[in-house]
Amino acid sequence: MTGRPLRLVAAVLSAALLVTGCGGGDTDAPAWHGGRIFLATGNTTGVYYQLGGGYADLISRHLPGYEARAEPTGASVENITRVASSDMEIAFSLADTAADAANGRGVFDRQPQPVRALARVYSNYTHVIVRADGKIGSFADLRGKRVSTGSPRSGTDIIAGRLLTAGGIDPNRGIQRFNLSLPETVKRMRANTLDAMFFSGGLPTPGIKDLLSAAPGKFRLLPLTELIEPLGARYGPVYTTALLPKETYGTPAPTPTITVANVILVAADMPEQLAYDLTRVLFTGQGELVKVHPEAANFSRASASLTEPIPLHPGAQRFYRSGG
């Protein structure tokens, strides 16, 4: 990941080298943050990283004066804090984590973060994968097992904790909990040093596809819809249910699971015109993003502005009101 001191040097150099202004805006205005846009994504084998790379390419090609780059991170919580502190400019996040940030709840207790949304995009599917020989027939059987709940400060880790609580399992005492990145989790699942794993991601998530396709029958997905009622009672309608199609990973049948929307966030102080242009590029370049990952086909202008309780950035709001 890119440290702030290096970013500041890069910004100074970029200011001298890049054309100022952004597409459709005030061409006399200097490029924000020296024209360098860093996208906080997630694990390198996840969908955030793939789509982030595609989005960065679109920005670099279609916004004069700006150069963008996707950075791997620990995902949602880290992404939000880095955008709020001006260490990065754009963040992918799960909507539940972003809602906590906007309202100063959860890990952001009494510290609302100054972030705004550009768009609600596709939904993440919660994957709970267990070893087929691990005697885990139901969610309750996770008790006492070796379980990866995702990278520290990630949306996956938050959802895993909430699901375990909803299922009557203490997230810290009821399981042997490991906070591991997706690549490390997959490695340990293959080595039989983990019994189960959580991951919240788009379909298909590359790392999970690799795990399941390389060893057919060795792992299976747990159904989760029994947990939606206690989740909804505590957190409201931010969580929904859906079937994870059997075609996605070649499973014997569809798997009922928990879903949550993803959002793209920026800092509250981002210039309005830049936020407008970033939103415009996201949708005018949607066809190119679909080639990067199929989840981009699930971006919808009709639902993109439905980010409550996360406030829309005024620039994004203007884009949706103008009809793009």
Side-chain angles (χ1 to χ4, degrees):
M1 289 179 281
T2 305
R4 184 172 175 79
L6 293 177
R7 294 265 328 276
L8 290 173
V9 172
V12 172
L13 292 174
S14 298
L17 295 173
L18 293 174
V19 179
T20 59
C22 62
D26 180 359
T27 55
D28 294 326
W32 193 59
H33 287 189
R36 298 298 297 271
I37 293 179
F38 287 80
L39 287 79
T41 60
N43 294 168
T44 54
T45 56
V47 178
Y48 280 177
Y49 187 71
Q50 288 196 330
L51 285 176
Y55 190 23
D57 181 59
L58 287 174
I59 294 167
S60 297
R61 288 191 289 115
H62 296 295
L63 287 191
Y66 284 92
E67 179 184 342
R69 188 172 79 188
E71 293 283 341
T73 68
S76 296
V77 177
E78 178 185 336
N79 292 356
I80 289 169
T81 57
R82 297 187 78 173
V83 164
S85 66
S86 298
D87 189 52
M88 292 196 178
E89 286 68 38
I90 300 174
F92 284 77
S93 174
L94 288 173
D96 57 345
T97 308
D100 285 352
N103 292 318
R105 297 183 314 210
V107 296
F108 305 101
D109 187 32
R110 290 176 287 186
Q111 293 182 322
Q113 302 295 297
V115 293
R116 299 291 183 267
L118 292 185
R120 171 179 175 171
V121 284
Y122 66 98
S123 289
N124 266 19
Y125 286 66
T126 305
H127 304 68
V128 179
I129 302 172
V130 302
R131 288 171 40 215
D133 63 356
K135 298 181 180 180
I136 303 174
S138 67
F139 192 83
D141 293 334
L142 291 175
R143 187 175 280 103
K145 300 298 192 294
R146 301 166 298 176
V147 183
S148 172
T149 59
S151 298
R153 297 169 62 81
S154 68
T156 291
D157 193 39
I158 289 174
I159 288 179
R162 290 177 177 180
L163 286 171
L164 287 163
T165 301
I169 301 173
D170 186 309
N172 296 310
R173 300 176 185 173
I175 60 170
Q176 298 177 56
R177 188 174 189 171
F178 296 86
N179 286 119
L180 305 172
S181 69
L182 180 56
E184 182 63 22
T185 295
V186 167
K187 178 181 177 181
R188 295 201 188 188
M189 288 289 285
R190 286 174 173 158
N192 291 333
T193 56
L194 286 175
D195 301 305
M197 61 171 284
F198 285 77
F199 193 77
S200 178
L203 302 182
T205 292
I208 291 175
K209 188 171 184 178
D210 289 346
L211 175 67
L212 298 181
S213 63
K218 186 174 180 180
F219 306 102
R220 61 188 185 84
L221 289 153
L222 281 184
L224 301 175
T225 48
E226 67 192 75
L227 304 175
I228 191 63
E229 187 173 341
L231 276 178
R234 183 161 185 177
Y235 300 105
V238 67
Y239 297 107
T240 54
T241 59
L243 287 175
L244 199 163
K246 64 179 182 179
E247 295 81 10
T248 303
Y249 301 113
T251 53
T255 305
T257 192
I258 304 294
T259 58
V260 61
N262 289 289
V263 289
I264 297 177
L265 304 174
V266 296
D269 65 351
M270 175 179 278
E272 182 178 328
Q273 185 61 44
L274 178 56
Y276 176 94
D277 287 329
L278 289 172
T279 311
R280 172 177 56 80
V281 165
L282 180 69
F283 286 99
T284 58
Q286 187 173 3
E288 294 181 66
L289 285 178
V290 172
K291 297 175 185 177
V292 174
H293 194 282
E295 280 291 10
N298 295 318
F299 297 6
S300 167
R301 295 193 195 202
S303 61
S305 63
L306 304 178
T307 62
E308 289 295 331
I310 310 138
L312 269 177
H313 191 287
Q317 197 171 59
R318 177 159 62 89
F319 172 80
Y320 297 121
R321 287 177 176 171
S322 69

